[in-house]
Amino acid sequence: MSNTTSFIAWISIFKVGWSLCFPAEDNIVINNSSSSLIVVPSNLRKQTEILDLSQNNISKIHIQDFASLQWLRSLNLSINRISNVANASFRFNRKLECLDLSRNELSNIECHFLNNITSLKYFDISSNRFLSLTLGKAFGFLKNLEYLGLGSREAIQLQKNDLKEISRNQLQEVSIGLKYLSEYELGTLLVLRTTKLHIVLPSAGTAALLNKVLHDAFTSADTLKLSNIDCSQTCDNYINVFKALGNVRISTLLLEDLTLSWLQFTSIIVPIWDTRIKNLSIINATLNSIRSSVIQHSDRVLETLIFRRIRSSAFYFNPPVYYDFFIKLKVVNLTISNSGMKFIACPEQGNHFKFIDLTDNSITSDFFFQDCKSLNLLETLILQQNELHQFYKLSTMTRYMKSLKNLDASQNQLTLDEKTNCLWTNSLKKLNLSSNRLTDLIFTCLPSNLEVLDVEKNNIYIVPQGVNNLEMLRELYLGSNKLVRLPECSNFRNLEILYVEGNSYQEPSSNFLQSCSRLTKLNAASNPFECTCDLRDFSRIKENTQVELVGWPESYQCIYPVNLRGTLLKDFYLSEVMCNPVLLMLIILGSMVVLAVVMGLTCHFLDLPWYLRMIYQWTQVKRRVMKTDLQQLHENCVYDAFVSYSEQDSGWVKEQLLPNLEERENPFRICLHERHFIPGKGIIQNIISCIEKSYKSIFILSPNFVQSEWCHYELYFAQHRVLSEQSNNLILVVLEPIPQYMIPSKYYKLKSLMAKKTYLEWPVDKSKQRLFWSTLQAAIGINITAETEETLL
C-alpha cells in the first residue's frame, strides 16, 4: 500500500513532467518504491519503460545498474541516500527522458553522467547536499530539457555564472529551492529563459536579500510561483517588497505555503491589483488571526483569483470580515476551494463575476445567494462537495442569475421529496447533480432549456413518461443509479449522448432504438443483461447503427440465464424463428403441408395404400384362423378353395394361381370346374356341390368375369352360403380393374360386395407379387391336410 501511495505521490508532483514522463499510451511500469533496497535490483525486466526506486536506501549508482534497460524512459530515484552517480551510468539509456534524483546526498552538481542522456526532458536534483549551484558543462548539452529542478539543503550562494550553462536553453519550467540561501547576486535569475519559475524563498535573511531575489523573480518569467512565505515572526520584508513591485513582467502569480495574519494576508494581496498581474493563486495558507481592518480595494479588475486550502488557526474568528473580503474583490473568475467556507455574501451591484468555484467547502442552501440580484454576469457556478440539502432552494437561488449557463451542485446531499414548481433561470444550459440523494421526482423540477443534465449516482429508478419540458436536452448522464428500464428518447427528442452504465435494467424497452433516432453515443455498460429475445435487437446495435457504444464489447455481458452468464453480447445469438411466434407457426404449418405432399407423392409412386391393404387383409385372416374349429372343417370340407373364373382368364389361373397354391411345401387342394365337375350331373348341381365341399370360394374378377353367365351363378350361390352359414369364406381377387359402367345390373350383388368387402388386387409389378401370394395363402387360411396353423402360412 505504501509503495502505491508513494508512486502516486511521485507522479502527482509533475507539472510539465506529467505529459512528458507519463504519455497516454500503455507503458511497462515497475514500482519498487519503499522496498528497503540498498542497491538497484539486478533482475529488472529489459522492456521496462517506467521505473520507481524512490524511498529506499540506495547509496550509489554503478555503471551496470541500468545497462540492460535500453527502453527506459522515466526513472525515479528520489528520497534515497545516493551520494555518487558513476559518469557512465546511463550510457545505454538513450531513450531516458525523465530523471528524478531529488532529496538525496549528492554534493557534486557538475553531473558528468548527463553527457550520455542528452534526450532528457525532465531533470530534478533539488534538495541535495550541494555547496553551490554552479551547473557543470554537461547541462549545456540538454537541448531537449523542458523542466529543471535545483536546490540544496546546505547553505549556498547564488551568482550569475552559476546558471550560465542553461542560459541558452528555452525551458518550460524551472524550480529552484533557495530556502537556505545566504547570498544572492542581483541579475542571476534573469539569465534563465523559462515560461514558469518556481522559487522556494529563503526562510531567513535580510530585507535586501529577499528584495533582490524577488526583484529578479518578478521580471524573469511569465508565470511565477513563490513558496515558503513565513510571517510567523515578521512579515515586513514581504509586505515592503510587494508594495514596491511596480511594473512586473509576470502575468500569473502563485503564492504557496503561507503562514501569516489576516492583516498581513491582505497587505500582501491588495498591492498586487496595481501591477500587471492578471491571475493570482493563494494555495495552502494558514491565517493565525482574523480581525476587522480597513481595506482599500483597487478599481482594477483581476482576471482570475484562486484561494485553495485557506485555514484559520485563530481562536477568535470574525466571519463577516472573512466572507465579505472575497466577494468585494474585483475579479472575473473566483475560486475558493477546500477552505471551510460556510457562507458567502451576495456581491454588490457592478461586480464582474463570470465564474465562481466554491468546491469542497461547508456551504448550505439555507441562505446562500437567496434573492441575490447582483450576479447578472455570472455564467458558471460550481458548488461541488458542500452541504447543500434542499433542491428547491438551489433552484430559487438561480432565478435572478440571467446569464448563468453552467451549474455544478454535485457531491452534496440534495433531496426532493415532493413535486414542486421550481423557479430556475431560463438561461441555464448545463446542470450537474451527480452524487446526491435525488429520486425520480427530479424530472418534475428541472429547467426547461437544459442541454446537458448529469444525475449520475443518485436514487433514480425510472425516468417518468411524459417529461415534456426537456426538448433541448442533448446529453443525459444517468449512470450508477437504480434504473429498471432505459428511458425512451421520445421524452428527449434531441438527445445525442446517453450514459446509463451501472444500473439495474436487464433489457432495453422494445422501442428504445426506434425512439432514439438522433443518438450518437451510448454507454450502457455493466448492467445485468438478460439475454433473451427482447435483447436481440439491442445486442446488434453496433452492427445496425452508427451509435458509438462506450465500453463495447468487454463491458456488455449476459447475467441471465445462468447458462449464458459471462457471454459477451456480441457473441449472443438467437434466431429469428425462436423470437417470432408467427414465423414459427408458419414454418410448422408449412412443414406439415410439405410433409403431407411428400407422403402423398410417396404413396402414389410406391403404391403404399396397396401394401397397407394387403397387410390389413393378412392380419384379419390370421385373426379369423385362430378362431376356426379345425375338427368341423375336417368333417365338412374336401377342398381348401373353389376357384371361379372366366374362360378368358384361364391362362392366368393355370400359369400363376395354381402353381403358387398347389406347388408349395404344404399345397392347397383347389377345386376347378374343369377338373372336379361330375359328368352327367347338372351344372347348377356341380356348382353347389363344389362350393359346399370347399372351405373358401375364390372369385377371379375381371371385365371377362362379369360377361359370363355361369360366373354369375357361382357368385350367387357362394354369397348365399355366406349368409346362411354366417361365415366369411368369400375371397375376391381383382385381376383387372372393372369400371362401374361395365358391371351389368344383374350383378348388383357384386357391386355390393366390392363396396363392403375388402378384395385383393393382382399387382403387375413383380416386386409386389410375393406379398400378394402370401396374403392370398393366408386368406385361404387352413390346409385340409394340415393340423397346425404354421402349415397354413
Side-chain angles (χ1 to χ4, degrees):
M1 181 66 181
S2 60
N3 289 14
T4 303
T5 303
S6 62
F7 180 71
I8 294 174
W10 173 50
I11 63 176
S12 66
I13 66 172
F14 288 99
K15 302 295 187 293
V16 176
W18 178 272
S19 58
L20 298 178
C21 302
F22 304 97
E25 66 267 15
D26 295 332
N27 299 108
I28 298 178
V29 179
I30 302 297
N31 180 14
N32 284 330
S33 63
S34 302
S35 301
S36 302
L37 300 175
I38 59 174
V39 295
V40 176
S42 58
N43 58 345
L44 296 172
R45 291 178 59 183
K46 293 183 179 181
Q47 295 81 14
T48 301
E49 296 177 74
I50 298 176
L51 176 60
D52 186 0
L53 296 173
S54 64
Q55 301 187 55
N56 284 291
N57 296 312
I58 301 172
S59 59
K60 291 184 179 180
I61 302 299
H62 303 90
I63 295 176
Q64 72 277 10
D65 285 344
F66 305 108
S68 62
L69 307 181
Q70 298 182 11
W71 298 96
L72 189 63
R73 298 182 59 185
S74 300
L75 176 60
N76 184 9
L77 291 167
S78 64
I79 319 177
N80 275 280
R81 298 181 179 180
I82 300 173
S83 59
N84 182 55
V85 179
N87 290 345
S89 295
F90 305 108
R91 65 176 178 176
F92 297 107
N93 310 115
R94 301 293 182 179
K95 297 182 180 295
L96 189 63
E97 296 179 348
C98 303
L99 177 59
D100 191 344
L101 284 165
S102 63
R103 301 177 67 179
N104 277 285
E105 304 296 325
L106 294 172
S107 58
N108 184 358
I109 200 172
E110 292 189 2
C111 299
H112 295 294
F113 57 83
L114 294 176
N115 291 322
N116 299 303
I117 47 176
T118 56
S119 59
L120 270 187
K121 296 181 179 180
Y122 180 99
F123 185 40
D124 191 351
I125 52 172
S126 60
S127 298
N128 275 277
R129 296 289 184 181
F130 303 126
L131 300 178
S132 72
L133 294 183
T134 306
L135 303 181
K137 292 184 179 181
F139 284 86
F141 297 104
L142 303 179
K143 302 301 182 182
N144 298 314
L145 193 63
E146 297 182 20
Y147 176 92
L148 176 62
L150 302 171
S152 177
R153 302 198 302 274
E154 301 290 340
I156 58 172
Q157 298 178 357
L158 193 59
Q159 299 178 346
K160 288 182 179 181
N161 291 333
D162 292 344
L163 305 177
K164 69 177 182 179
E165 293 298 335
I166 59 170
S167 61
R168 292 184 296 273
N169 295 10
Q170 179 61 53
L171 305 175
Q172 288 193 26
E173 184 172 352
V174 175
S175 176
I176 304 179
L178 301 179
K179 188 173 183 179
Y180 302 101
L181 183 68
S182 60
E183 185 174 337
Y184 176 83
E185 182 179 359
L186 191 64
T188 300
L189 294 177
L190 298 180
V191 303
L192 295 174
R193 299 174 59 192
T194 180
T195 303
K196 301 177 182 178
L197 176 62
H198 175 205
I199 298 177
V200 180
L201 295 173
S203 296
T206 63
L209 176 64
L210 185 61
N211 185 60
K212 287 189 290 185
V213 172
L214 291 177
H215 178 275
D216 286 352
F218 277 100
T219 56
S220 59
D222 293 328
T223 300
L224 175 63
K225 179 179 178 180
L226 299 176
S227 301
N228 191 37
I229 300 178
D230 188 357
C231 296
S232 55
Q233 299 298 324
T234 179
C235 205
D236 292 342
N237 293 341
Y238 296 104
I239 294 173
N240 293 333
V241 169
F242 280 99
K243 285 183 178 180
L245 282 178
N247 291 328
V248 294
R249 173 187 168 185
I250 65 171
S251 59
T252 301
L253 175 62
L254 294 85
L255 303 179
E256 187 177 47
D257 299 332
L258 297 86
T259 303
L260 64 179
S261 68
W262 177 254
L263 180 60
Q264 294 167 339
F265 180 77
T266 57
S267 299
I268 290 176
I269 293 178
V270 171
I272 295 175
W273 258 256
D274 295 323
T275 67
R276 296 173 56 188
I277 295 174
K278 297 180 180 179
N279 308 296
L280 174 62
S281 298
I282 312 294
I283 302 173
N284 196 22
T286 301
L287 306 178
N288 50 37
S289 68
I290 300 179
R291 299 180 182 275
S292 61
S293 58
V294 178
I295 301 174
Q296 185 65 40
H297 291 282
S298 173
D299 291 333
R300 183 173 174 268
V301 178
L302 205 63
E303 188 70 27
T304 302
L305 178 60
I306 298 175
F307 296 100
R308 185 170 291 123
R309 296 191 300 275
I310 308 297
R311 296 288 184 267
S312 173
S313 62
F315 178 77
Y316 174 77
F317 181 53
N318 189 354
V321 174
Y322 185 61
Y323 300 146
D324 293 348
F325 169 78
F326 296 106
I327 209 66
K328 290 181 178 180
L329 295 175
K330 291 180 173 57
V331 62
V332 177
N333 304 301
L334 175 64
T335 296
I336 307 174
S337 66
N338 194 9
S339 298
M341 294 283 290
K342 295 182 180 295
F343 177 76
I344 189 168
C346 178
E348 298 175 353
Q349 290 287 351
N351 65 80
H352 300 81
F353 292 116
K354 290 185 177 180
F355 176 96
I356 296 180
D357 182 358
L358 300 173
T359 298
D360 196 9
N361 284 288
S362 302
I363 297 172
T364 68
S365 57
D366 294 334
F367 304 104
F368 176 65
F369 282 170
Q370 293 298 319
D371 298 321
C372 184
K373 301 179 181 180
S374 59
L375 293 171
N376 297 324
L377 301 178
L378 188 63
E379 296 178 356
T380 299
L381 178 59
I382 300 177
L383 301 172
Q384 280 186 23
Q385 294 179 260
N386 279 279
E387 298 179 8
L388 305 179
H389 290 84
Q390 302 180 54
F391 183 74
Y392 171 73
K393 288 193 174 182
L394 178 69
S395 69
T396 58
M397 177 194 69
T398 69
R399 58 179 171 171
Y400 297 116
M401 300 177 183
K402 298 180 181 180
S403 301
L404 187 65
K405 296 179 181 178
N406 181 10
L407 174 60
D408 186 348
S410 61
Q411 302 182 58
N412 281 280
Q413 306 296 323
L414 290 171
T415 60
L416 181 65
D417 299 327
E418 59 184 14
K419 289 185 178 181
T420 307
N421 186 19
C422 297
L423 303 175
W424 293 96
T425 176
N426 292 327
S427 61
L428 194 60
K429 301 296 184 183
K430 184 176 181 181
L431 179 59
N432 188 348
L433 299 171
S434 61
S435 300
N436 280 284
R437 297 181 179 180
L438 299 168
T439 63
D440 309 346
L441 286 174
I442 183 63
F443 290 96
T444 66
C445 188
L446 291 172
S448 58
N449 294 322
L450 271 185
E451 295 180 2
V452 179
L453 174 62
D454 187 346
V455 285
E456 291 189 340
K457 298 181 181 178
N458 280 281
N459 296 317
I460 299 173
Y461 285 85
I462 61 171
V463 177
Q465 296 289 337
V467 180
N468 54 11
N469 64 332
L470 296 175
E471 296 290 332
M472 304 300 295
L473 195 66
R474 295 184 295 102
E475 301 179 23
L476 177 58
Y477 300 89
L478 284 162
S480 301
N481 275 282
K482 301 175 182 178
L483 289 176
V484 294
R485 66 169 182 258
L486 282 178
E488 294 183 10
C489 295
S490 56
N491 296 328
F492 321 106
R493 298 179 181 177
N494 293 298
L495 194 65
E496 298 175 2
I497 298 176
L498 176 62
Y499 275 54
V500 285
E501 75 282 4
N503 277 280
S504 302
Y505 61 87
Q506 297 179 340
E507 56 193 32
S509 59
S510 57
N511 60 346
F512 167 72
L513 295 176
Q514 290 78 7
S515 66
C516 299
S517 58
R518 297 192 178 184
L519 200 65
T520 60
K521 189 174 184 179
L522 173 65
N523 185 354
S526 304
N527 278 284
F529 291 110
E530 183 175 359
C531 291
T532 60
C533 290
D534 291 333
L535 193 70
R536 194 165 61 98
D537 290 340
F538 182 81
S539 66
R540 299 290 176 263
I541 187 173
K542 192 69 176 178
E543 303 171 6
N544 301 332
T545 69
Q546 299 297 320
V547 176
E548 177 187 350
L549 211 55
V550 179
W552 182 270
E554 62 276 359
S555 297
Y556 295 76
Q557 299 182 5
C558 299
I559 300 298
Y560 306 104
V562 176
N563 63 309
L564 291 176
R565 180 167 295 177
T567 302
L568 296 179
L569 259 60
K570 74 178 183 67
D571 300 326
F572 161 67
Y573 175 76
L574 288 176
S575 66
E576 181 68 25
V577 175
M578 297 179 65
C579 298
N580 192 330
V582 175
L583 180 60
L584 180 61
M585 289 300 299
L586 289 175
I587 291 177
I588 293 175
L589 292 175
S591 300
M592 293 175 65
V593 170
V594 171
L595 180 61
V597 171
V598 171
M599 291 181 63
L601 293 174
T602 302
C603 292
H604 175 75
F605 288 109
L606 300 180
D607 289 335
L608 187 61
W610 186 88
Y611 280 104
L612 294 176
R613 288 199 303 272
M614 289 293 140
I615 293 172
Y616 173 75
Q617 291 180 12
W618 184 85
T619 56
Q620 290 296 100
V621 169
K622 288 289 294 179
R623 183 178 61 83
R624 290 195 299 272
V625 167
M626 294 176 65
K627 298 180 180 180
T628 302
D629 186 347
L630 295 177
Q631 183 66 28
Q632 184 179 0
L633 288 175
H634 281 290
E635 293 177 355
N636 299 331
C637 296
V638 177
Y639 306 105
D640 291 305
F642 169 72
V643 180
S644 176
Y645 59 93
S646 171
E647 284 297 325
Q648 283 83 353
D649 298 326
S650 61
W652 181 84
V653 172
K654 295 175 180 178
E655 296 174 3
Q656 296 287 343
L657 180 67
L658 294 179
N660 281 281
L661 297 181
E662 294 182 336
E663 298 177 6
R664 58 194 297 266
E665 182 178 353
N666 295 308
F668 291 111
R669 298 184 64 186
I670 303 301
C671 179
L672 300 177
H673 68 272
E674 57 191 51
R675 288 194 315 194
H676 297 100
F677 277 16
I678 299 174
K681 198 173 185 179
I683 295 176
I684 298 298
Q685 292 177 337
N686 275 310
I687 292 173
I688 295 173
S689 176
C690 287
I691 290 175
E692 289 179 344
K693 292 179 180 180
S694 300
Y695 174 54
K696 297 283 186 178
S697 296
I698 302 174
F699 291 88
I700 309 302
L701 304 179
S702 68
N704 300 320
F705 182 90
V706 297
Q707 300 299 324
S708 172
E709 184 71 22
W710 294 115
C711 288
H712 175 247
Y713 284 116
E714 291 172 351
L715 179 63
Y716 174 81
F717 289 121
Q719 188 179 22
H720 177 75
R721 181 192 178 193
V722 168
L723 294 174
S724 62
E725 297 180 359
Q726 294 184 350
S727 62
N728 191 18
N729 294 332
L730 221 58
I731 300 176
L732 303 179
V733 175
V734 178
L735 184 61
E736 296 179 20
I738 306 175
Q740 290 291 322
Y741 67 88
M742 293 184 65
I743 302 176
S745 59
K746 63 183 179 180
Y747 274 88
Y748 67 93
K749 292 184 178 180
L750 176 61
K751 293 181 179 180
S752 176
L753 282 174
M754 294 186 70
K756 297 179 180 179
K757 189 174 181 63
T758 304
Y759 52 83
L760 299 178
E761 292 181 280
W762 168 249
V764 179
D765 190 349
K766 291 184 178 181
S767 63
K768 300 177 182 178
Q769 292 176 3
R770 185 176 180 179
L771 178 60
F772 171 84
W773 294 121
S774 297
T775 305
L776 179 59
Q777 292 168 6
I780 297 173
I782 293 180
N783 189 308
I784 297 303
T785 63
E787 296 294 316
T788 63
E789 181 183 349
E790 286 79 1
T791 60
L792 298 176
L793 301 176

